[in-house]
Amino acid sequence: MTTLTTTIGGRTFENCMMNAAGVRCQSDEDLTTIINSNAGAYVTKSATPQQRAGNPSPRMKTLPKGCINSMGLPNNGLDYYLNFVIADQQQRPDATNFLSIAGTSLADNLSMLHQIQDSAYEGFVELNLSCPNVPGHPQTGYDFEQVDTTLNQIFDFYTKPLGVKLPPYFDLVHFDQIAEVLNKYPLTFVTTINSIGNALVIDPQTERVAIKPKGGFGGIGGASVKPTALANVRGLALRLNPSIAIVGVGGILSGEDVFEHILCGASMVQIGTQFGYEGVNLFDRLSKELDDIMALKGYHSIEDFRGKLKTFDD
Ligand code: RRO
């Protein structure tokens, strides 16, 4: 018998797969659908202090190997999601879920975390430091000093389980630098990667960009980002304190992709683009596919192979 159970920060999840923030998780109907599925947890759409309409449409376009988006942080505001997760926690006290927040300033992030600290919520918070699509606001995750300042101020008062959602890094020196900052703090997890930001997709027929916001610049997700995602999961797994779990995101379309993320060191995986295309049936399909791979290899639990990727130096 195989099990897809996983543990992060002392909390157990029956399944190591869940949605990625932003996809099919903006309304309470969306979230209830995930609760009633085979997913091990849900994460809410990244919240700002007040609700936001986001960027003008078209703001998402399907591509042959994924998608490009510049949604611009449309969400129903922190109160909406905090009320939802607290009500859910009262109904299912043994289930841990993820509340995502993405302030567009340090002050907004601090005020939201104060509100969460003072609330009854005991679940995980995923602090999104990597939204690529708000005009005029750079991704905090690319400014290592600002990440340090942000976490320093947060851990002055915040005592509940916290993780950060990171942008993809493309240089091993940057892996070293971000890991050095993150290792200073009692983070429960890091989620990696957000979409590959500020890419440009164009239609040569019409000679026009694919989406409207920011002159067509947007974040890429889906199949084409898997190698970058695996590199970030592996690069951080090799550098972070073992007490910081890794939630892997990026390019997951099959159970084999989940297997690869776990081999690189992920304790849990999130699926964004493909979950958007397939809905909650995705979790049944991927669970079966991962289960079959594990059974074939004689693995009983994900701990049998998590982080055990081989290189030519082994
Ligand atoms: O809403 C978005 O445009 C968005 C966000 Br907050 C994010 O973190 N990642 C992304 O690809 N889109």
Side-chain angles (χ1 to χ4, degrees), residues 21-22 45-47 52 54-55 59 68-75 100 102 128-134 139 165 194-197 218-221:
K45 171 66 188 171
S46 296
R52 283 171 60 93
N55 292 336
R59 56 192 188 178
I68 183 167
N69 89 82
S70 182
M71 304 301 287
L73 214 32
N75 76 92
S100 173
N128 184 353
L129 297 178
S130 47
C131 175
N133 302 329
V134 180
Q139 293 165 83
K165 173 97 173 257
N194 207 320
S195 51
I196 298 182
I220 302 288

Side-chain angles (χ1 to χ4, degrees), residues 172-217:
L172 299 189
V173 169
H174 293 160
F175 288 149
D176 292 340
Q177 290 173 341
I178 190 68
E180 192 181 334
V181 172
L182 299 176
N183 279 335
K184 289 165 62 177
Y185 299 99
L187 287 163
T188 301
F189 64 94
V190 304
T191 304
T192 180
I193 58 172
N194 207 320
S195 51
I196 298 182
N198 295 304
L200 192 61
V201 172
I202 61 179
D203 178 349
Q205 293 298 324
T206 58
E207 304 176 12
R208 199 172 63 180
V209 296
I211 54 172
K212 181 174 165 73
K214 290 177 67 178
F217 286 72

Side-chain angles (χ1 to χ4, degrees), residues 98 194 202 241 264:
F98 296 60
N194 207 320
I202 61 179
N241 298 333
C264 287

Side-chain angles (χ1 to χ4, degrees), residues 261-279:
H261 268 261
I262 297 170
L263 265 185
C264 287
S267 293
M268 188 138 194
V269 298
Q270 296 180 343
I271 302 112
T273 303
Q274 191 63 25
F275 174 51
Y277 297 154
E278 227 173 300

